Amino acid sequence: LPPPKRHRKIFSSLRKEGLKEHTQTMSTAKTAAPAAAAPAKVAPTKKAQKKKSKKQLKFTVDCSAPVNDGILDPSSFEKFLRDKIKVGGKVGVLGESVTISRDKTKIQVTSSITLSKRYLKYLTKKYLKKQQLRDWLRVVSTNKNSYELKYFNIHDQDEEEDEE
């Protein structure tokens, strides 16, 4: 195959100087390059040390409003979370890495592995849909580590309909 256009000038100058000398120098440079490219062992950085230290994540879901009204059963919600949370790509195998506890109307999820708060919201919405409560309840973040189940404001909609 003919060389690409950009290399034609290089090859023509090499032919003049002597192709044999160039190939010998290139072959030694190629064998020496991988040895020089081998990375030296370096002490771990602060970021790597932070990743190794496991931090416990604690999330809470406050179900007090629907539980006080008798709509939601917190024990069934707790069981749902135990059955549905994925750890290592497997459903229902929490092990010691994730613990779920219930304190009257609050559900606490403690995790030693990465577990996103958004995933907990997704599972809560899934439970509400399964119990056919999604039309009346919504999941609202109250602070960095907690969610609260609140009712939709239906009274505002009723007043708007009365005005029309």
Side-chain angles (χ1 to χ4, degrees):
L1 292 171
K5 290 182 182 181
R6 64 178 181 255
H7 297 299
R8 286 184 186 162
K9 290 182 182 178
I10 297 170
F11 284 120
S12 63
S13 65
L14 291 176
R15 284 188 198 115
K16 292 177 186 174
E17 295 175 10
L19 190 59
K20 291 181 183 178
E21 294 173 3
H22 181 69
T23 54
Q24 289 175 353
T25 58
M26 290 302 289
S27 64
T28 56
K30 285 183 182 177
T31 56
K41 291 186 178 180
V42 181
T45 61
K46 288 183 180 179
K47 285 185 178 181
Q49 290 174 353
K50 284 182 182 177
K51 288 181 183 178
K52 288 181 183 177
S53 64
K54 300 247 178 170
K55 189 176 181 183
Q56 290 233 332
L57 302 171
K58 293 182 182 180
F59 300 111
T60 59
V61 180
D62 185 10
C63 312
S64 56
V67 170
N68 291 338
D69 293 339
I71 297 174
L72 188 102
D73 182 26
S75 61
S76 66
F77 181 44
E78 180 185 10
K79 183 181 182 306
F80 178 83
L81 288 176
R82 284 189 200 281
D83 294 341
K84 296 292 181 176
I85 289 180
K86 280 187 180 181
V87 176
K90 294 182 181 179
V91 176
V93 185
L94 299 181
E96 297 176 5
S97 56
V98 178
T99 57
I100 300 172
S101 61
R102 179 171 41 105
D103 180 38
K104 294 183 182 179
T105 60
K106 291 186 179 182
I107 308 260
Q108 292 185 342
V109 179
T110 308
S111 173
S112 61
I113 60 170
T114 56
L115 181 73
S116 68
K117 183 180 168 191
R118 184 82 182 146
Y119 181 58
L120 193 60
K121 182 176 183 178
Y122 161 75
L123 289 174
T124 307
K125 285 181 169 184
K126 194 172 182 176
Y127 175 76
L128 292 175
K129 187 71 173 175
K130 184 179 176 185
Q131 299 295 320
Q132 298 175 346
L133 297 172
R134 186 79 177 94
D135 295 334
W136 293 282
L137 293 171
R138 63 187 182 140
V139 184
V140 179
S141 176
T142 53
N143 61 30
K144 186 178 177 184
N145 294 329
S146 67
Y147 282 116
E148 185 178 352
L149 298 181
K150 290 187 176 183
Y151 289 103
F152 284 111
N153 290 332
I154 301 173
H155 301 293
D156 296 338
Q157 293 175 355
D158 291 339
E159 291 174 5
E160 290 176 6
E161 290 176 4
D162 292 339
E163 291 175 3
E164 292 175 5

